[in-house]
Amino acid sequence: MSEEKDMNPKVSEMLARSEANAKAAGKKFVRPEDEEREVVAPDGSIIKVNPIYDYFSGARPTEEKPRNGIVEKFLNWARAESIWVLGFGTGCGSIEIPPLVTPRFDMFRFGVQMRPTPRQSNAFIISGYLSVKTLKRVIRTYEQMPSPKYVLALGSCTINGGMYYDSYSTINRLDHYIPVDVYIAGCMPRPEALLAGFGKLKELIKAGKAEKANEYARNFDWYKANQKKIVKDWNMPDYNW
Amino acid sequence: MNEILDKIKQKYDAKDVTVERDRLAFLTVAKDVAIDAVTYLRDYEGFSHFVMMSCVDWMEDGKYQLLYLLHNPEKKVDVGIKTYIDRDNAVMESAHHLWKQIWTYQRELHEAFGIDFPGSPRVEENFVLEGWDDIPHMRREFNTKEYSENTYFPRPGRETYDPATYMREKLYPNQPVTAKRKDNDK
Amino acid sequence: MTIAKLGYTLLGLFIVWNWGFLMGATFRKIGARVSGRYGIPFYQPWINFFKSMGVRTTITHGVMYYLGPVFRLTGGIGLLFFMPLIYTGDPNGMWSNFSFQGDLVLILYFQVFGMLGMALGAGEGGHPYSAMGIARGLAQHAAVELPLTLAILSIAIQYDTFSLYKIVEAQQGGFQNWVIFTNPFAGAAIILSMLGAMGHSPFNLVKAPNEILIGPATEYEGTYLGFMQSAGSILHVMEAVLFMNLAFGGATNWAEFIVKTFLIYFWSVFVGMVFPRFKIEQSVTWFFKVPLVLGLLAIIVFSF
């Protein structure tokens, strides 16, 4: 099958290990409709389906080299002036984002726009506390965004857990699971702080320092191990294109 | 209100009747008649609205306390039926046939406290947490701080201050601490 | 001669592309000012385009997924290639592009071409919102095409030609010769079906924000998105040019071209600023009521 060919051997090995762990714990996390199985097509032929890998590539991310000199500088300028934010509220802080599109703060004048799909956005705001359940969705979404991509961590919960530092269901440090470009501290930061964070992100992009997507690819195993440590029902491909 | 309470007292041998307000009362019945009492209130006394179901962990007594809170929309009266079940062998009769939303409450209690409700639909499914593999997280012996420190990556250097003490030390370091203040700090 | 003509056509394409981006930015700006905001800078669409072209990783869902944006761009460029931009008095002149006898029929085909391409491409993308957007788009397009085609037939009967160039030529010599005055029923049908063809509110069912988000483009990213932005800007201008040529006497120079396409485009924008979105059944019913009756009247008036 072609989908098995383009799977990295290491990735499939990791997936097998996590499935073995799940089985040892006596629990099965892959839903019945996502299991690898054979189905009969309308014309009578038998097709092998593996929904998790049919819809998503399990291929490992690779580092993408920046282009040369002035071209990359121009593209970085364009990226900085056109930040498309994914509209995905992950915690309490997402209520600070709607004021940004209203007349008082109006982030459009800085070239910051909301985008409804991860395929077209290049900035991801992780707002406030992040529960393990949300983190699973965040990882999927982050990996679906095209490189170069940037993460803004909003609120102190993303730095050290904030007031939920001792909770059993929220993570403490976001940068152990996905790479973070800009931290906006506070509980909650005001929309002005968010605008300042966008300004900082623009500076980083223009200076060519916002290459965290490559860092994610470089330290992929470390990030994946951290993610799998806490997302115990791992029922998705390791890299969700 | 009092008529209803009297009736239940007689019928189900209810103890520990607490009348909180004119329109709110709680009473405790034995485990095996709790669902009967709820059914009686629903079918004969007009308590057609199921408000909520919850659980309190009395770890020292080795008991879970279950609460079924019902509401009578005509008389505007709320009655809570409480019952105690064993903590180590937590099994309770399912009440999902009375109101459908009790499915979800029982699913939640199964996840949070480990109470089993035989026959309740989908009770084994995940409710809030996905893939939880520790003891039920609302049991009081579960140490959430320790779990968090072992599972997530606590940031080194994090300190916690008592706001009153910290502000006094920072802002008014020379001011003597009065006896009253000392009491307050405790 | 042909080489020079091709050069002028490509130059026209470049002008139309930029003008479409500028009009898109003005549209966003007006929307912002209506809601009391400052809005995007006017050069934002160009930056968005370059950023989309500079995305490093891309995904694929198969061959049709690649061809979707290409078909859409082809639809836009096809409209431009076979439609006279500026009336110069010479049928083989420099801005009449590759207009020929019967180009109106071809243009009607090209209008659907981009939509069908997107249907195939977005269908292979597999996102449910894409499929919903495409289904609505095709249903509404059919409802738009019917009054538009009737109006065009009426104009063809009126001037006894299927050549856009001749239709424009017949409307020269003052505004009293425009189709909107000489054939008011067809003009009214065109003006109303134009709202649907432009795809702004209340007929923005394909990209319905807050509902199916951005519809068919959900799975597209990077370079594909850049292509689709270009195609969108070209299509918007070319729809405006089509209606300008059909009902408003065409343009004799670039200044007139700019003013007329701007006004035609912003007729739909201003309507959209005032009216909220229709549901698909409301939209289709509306097109089958008012514009269709006007189109039928236009046919009846000029048949007898």
Side-chain angles (χ1 to χ4, degrees):
Chain A
M1 294 264 96
S2 65
E3 61 266 20
E4 281 172 15
K5 216 189 299 166
D6 57 48
M7 247 175 63
N8 190 298
K10 200 160 189 178
V11 174
S12 61
E13 189 186 295
M14 281 170 78
L15 191 76
R17 210 183 307 141
S18 76
E19 267 170 12
N21 287 344
K23 259 182 204 145
K27 282 187 181 175
K28 214 166 104 197
F29 296 118
V30 179
R31 293 176 300 168
E33 62 265 35
D34 287 348
E35 271 174 20
E36 188 175 1
R37 62 187 188 275
E38 288 180 344
V39 291
V40 182
D43 61 349
S45 60
I46 291 171
I47 309 170
K48 263 191 187 170
V49 291
N50 186 358
I52 290 182
Y53 281 100
D54 283 353
Y55 295 141
F56 298 97
S57 156
R60 205 184 148 90
T62 48
E63 277 187 67
E64 305 277 339
K65 287 261 169 350
R67 285 174 214 186
N68 288 335
I70 193 154
V71 180
E72 183 66 17
K73 267 197 175 157
F74 173 72
L75 285 178
N76 274 339
W77 173 80
R79 283 166 194 150
E81 293 301 325
S82 159
I83 296 176
W84 287 4
V85 181
L86 179 66
F88 177 25
T90 51
C92 52
S94 54
I95 204 66
E96 302 294 329
I97 300 170
L100 285 174
V101 300
T102 57
R104 184 158 172 204
F105 298 106
D106 187 21
M107 64 181 181
F108 293 98
R109 64 204 153 115
F110 302 116
V112 183
Q113 298 163 68
M114 300 301 284
R115 212 69 194 169
T117 152
R119 298 280 189 222
Q120 298 175 3
S121 41
N122 59 356
F124 195 1
I125 300 179
I126 309 289
S127 48
Y129 62 84
L130 200 56
S131 69
V132 178
K133 199 172 176 177
T134 320
L135 179 75
K136 197 173 152 190
R137 278 78 184 168
V138 164
I139 294 165
R140 290 197 84 147
T141 317
Y142 177 74
E143 291 179 350
Q144 284 181 30
M145 283 161 58
S147 165
K149 48 194 166 187
Y150 320 107
V151 175
L152 286 98
L154 178 70
S156 39
C157 291
T158 52
I159 300 171
N160 58 11
M163 63 187 283
Y164 301 102
Y165 72 103
D166 59 352
S167 163
Y168 53 85
S169 65
T170 59
I171 62 160
N172 279 358
R173 297 171 73 185
L174 176 63
D175 53 6
H176 279 59
Y177 306 102
I178 54 174
V180 177
D181 288 282
V182 177
Y183 288 102
I184 305 166
C187 182
M188 278 311 297
R190 298 246 328 143
E192 292 97 324
L194 202 48
L195 286 181
F198 280 124
K200 181 76 189 161
L201 179 63
K202 280 187 181 186
E203 278 174 29
L204 285 176
I205 300 173
K206 280 178 188 168
K209 286 178 187 161
E211 296 286 346
K212 288 289 169 84
N214 283 341
E215 197 184 305
Y216 187 69
R218 197 156 52 237
N219 302 323
F220 186 64
D221 291 330
W222 184 74
Y223 281 113
K224 251 328 133 181
N226 285 349
Q227 290 164 5
K228 289 201 171 177
K229 187 183 166 198
I230 58 163
V231 182
K232 281 161 189 156
D233 59 332
W234 192 274
N235 55 3
M236 52 188 189
D238 277 29
Y239 199 67
N240 308 278
W241 269 81
Chain B
M1 181 75 174
N2 283 329
E3 297 162 29
I4 300 168
L5 292 181
D6 287 342
K7 273 185 201 164
I8 302 179
K9 255 190 264 179
Q10 286 165 13
K11 259 180 126 69
Y12 298 105
D13 189 23
K15 294 178 208 104
D16 198 12
V17 181
T18 335
V19 181
E20 297 275 342
R21 300 194 286 274
D22 286 355
R23 299 172 180 281
L24 178 66
F26 295 97
L27 26 82
T28 307
V29 299
K31 179 189 169 187
D32 44 352
V33 293
I35 302 300
D36 291 358
V38 172
T39 317
Y40 171 77
L41 283 175
R42 186 185 79 148
D43 291 347
Y44 294 95
E45 301 293 343
F47 283 79
S48 57
H49 175 54
F50 181 78
V51 182
M52 63 149 193
M53 176 177 175
S54 80
C55 177
V56 181
D57 186 0
W58 298 98
M59 187 167 76
E60 291 78 8
D61 304 344
K63 299 268 185 214
Y64 280 138
Q65 185 186 39
L66 286 179
L67 165 72
Y68 298 85
L69 187 62
L70 310 176
H71 175 72
N72 185 332
E74 278 166 22
K75 295 181 183 162
K76 308 271 187 292
V77 173
D78 286 22
V79 169
I81 302 283
K82 290 176 180 172
T83 183
Y84 288 96
I85 60 171
D86 188 23
R87 196 168 178 277
D88 298 323
N89 181 25
V91 182
M92 180 63 193
E93 198 184 331
S94 172
H96 68 272
H97 54 283
L98 299 174
W99 285 277
K100 267 194 181 171
Q101 63 266 40
I102 294 187
W103 289 18
T104 313
Y105 283 107
Q106 290 179 350
R107 220 173 113 197
E108 182 185 9
L109 292 180
H110 180 266
E111 179 179 285
F113 292 96
I115 307 171
D116 196 12
F117 294 92
S120 180
R122 299 173 61 193
V123 74
E124 301 263 316
E125 275 179 34
N126 291 329
F127 182 67
V128 178
L129 304 168
E130 290 179 336
W132 184 257
D133 58 356
D134 214 305
I135 60 169
H137 57 93
M138 293 292 275
R139 283 177 79 106
R140 275 170 57 206
E141 69 257 36
F142 174 69
N143 188 341
T144 168
K145 187 159 187 287
E146 196 182 79
Y147 179 86
S148 170
E149 276 166 7
N150 291 338
T151 313
Y152 311 115
F153 301 91
R155 183 168 170 271
R158 184 188 165 109
E159 288 175 55
T160 309
Y161 301 102
D162 173 44
T165 325
Y166 186 74
M167 280 173 77
R168 194 174 62 233
E169 279 168 7
K170 282 281 168 191
L171 298 175
Y172 316 105
N174 301 322
Q175 199 170 329
V177 183
T178 60
K180 201 183 164 194
R181 275 242 174 110
K182 259 183 190 163
D183 281 352
N184 280 350
D185 284 356
K186 287 171 193 168
Chain C
M1 186 62 205
T2 322
I3 302 287
K5 208 169 172 179
L6 189 65
Y8 275 116
T9 309
L10 291 177
L11 184 59
L13 180 66
F14 182 71
I15 294 170
V16 162
W17 180 71
N18 284 300
W19 175 229
F21 272 169
L22 188 59
M23 285 213 298
T26 322
F27 163 57
R28 298 275 306 275
K29 197 91 179 167
I30 288 178
R33 287 297 165 88
V34 166
S35 56
R37 286 185 288 112
Y38 181 76
I40 57 168
F42 74 92
Y43 49 85
Q44 188 72 46
W46 284 275
I47 301 182
N48 290 348
F49 174 75
F50 288 124
K51 187 207 79 170
S52 293
M53 290 315 224
V55 162
R56 289 183 191 147
T57 52
T58 45
I59 50 157
T60 173
H61 289 287
V63 177
M64 277 325 293
Y65 176 78
Y66 289 120
L67 288 181
V70 176
F71 274 26
R72 192 160 164 77
L73 194 58
T74 314
I77 295 175
L79 276 180
L80 185 131
F81 258 60
F82 299 107
M83 185 143 40
L85 287 178
I86 308 273
Y87 173 78
T88 49
D90 172 15
N92 292 318
M94 47 194 205
W95 296 114
S96 28
N97 297 348
F98 292 92
S99 173
F100 61 96
Q101 278 294 343
D103 53 356
L104 208 43
V105 180
L106 188 66
I107 281 167
L108 280 178
Y109 273 107
F110 265 121
Q111 269 197 314
V112 199
F113 193 70
M115 184 74 89
L116 286 176
M118 274 313 294
L120 294 169
E124 196 159 33
H127 200 279
Y129 288 159
S130 312
M132 280 166 73
I134 281 298
R136 291 167 170 204
L138 288 175
Q140 177 172 279
H141 201 78
V144 172
E145 285 283 280
L146 206 52
L148 183 63
T149 313
L150 285 175
I152 286 175
L153 284 178
S154 166
I155 296 170
I157 297 169
Q158 182 188 0
Y159 294 123
D160 203 16
T161 175
F162 260 121
S163 160
L164 254 183
Y165 182 85
K166 290 218 169 125
I167 290 175
V168 175
E169 193 170 36
Q171 297 179 58
Q172 295 306 312
F175 67 89
Q176 70 279 6
N177 293 341
W178 293 0
V179 164
I180 190 88
F181 295 111
T182 56
N183 188 352
F185 289 120
I190 281 175
I191 285 179
L192 293 179
S193 52
M194 188 167 81
L195 294 175
M198 288 291 189
H200 286 303
S201 173
F203 303 107
N204 56 349
L205 289 155
V206 181
K207 288 189 172 184
N210 310 337
E211 196 182 312
I212 52 170
L213 308 176
I214 46 172
T218 308
E219 280 289 306
Y220 283 98
E221 64 178 11
T223 324
Y224 314 123
L225 191 66
F227 270 119
M228 281 170 59
Q229 286 165 343
S230 310
S233 78
I234 293 173
L235 270 171
H236 267 134
V237 180
M238 289 324 290
E239 298 276 356
V241 173
L242 173 64
F243 298 123
M244 175 183 83
N245 284 343
L246 276 178
F248 299 97
T252 48
N253 53 50
W254 278 105
E256 199 183 344
F257 176 90
I258 298 280
V259 170
K260 276 186 177 170
T261 47
F262 184 86
L263 288 177
I264 291 171
Y265 181 75
F266 279 90
W267 149 247
S268 72
V269 170
F270 285 128
V271 169
M273 288 296 150
V274 179
F275 291 102
R277 182 168 65 242
F278 273 156
K279 287 195 230 165
I280 179 68
E281 65 267 26
Q282 290 169 329
S283 157
V284 170
T285 321
W286 188 83
F287 278 113
F288 281 163
K289 270 184 200 157
V290 187
L292 186 64
V293 171
L294 286 169
L296 281 172
L297 275 176
I299 288 277
I300 290 165
V301 166
F302 274 90
S303 301
F304 300 108

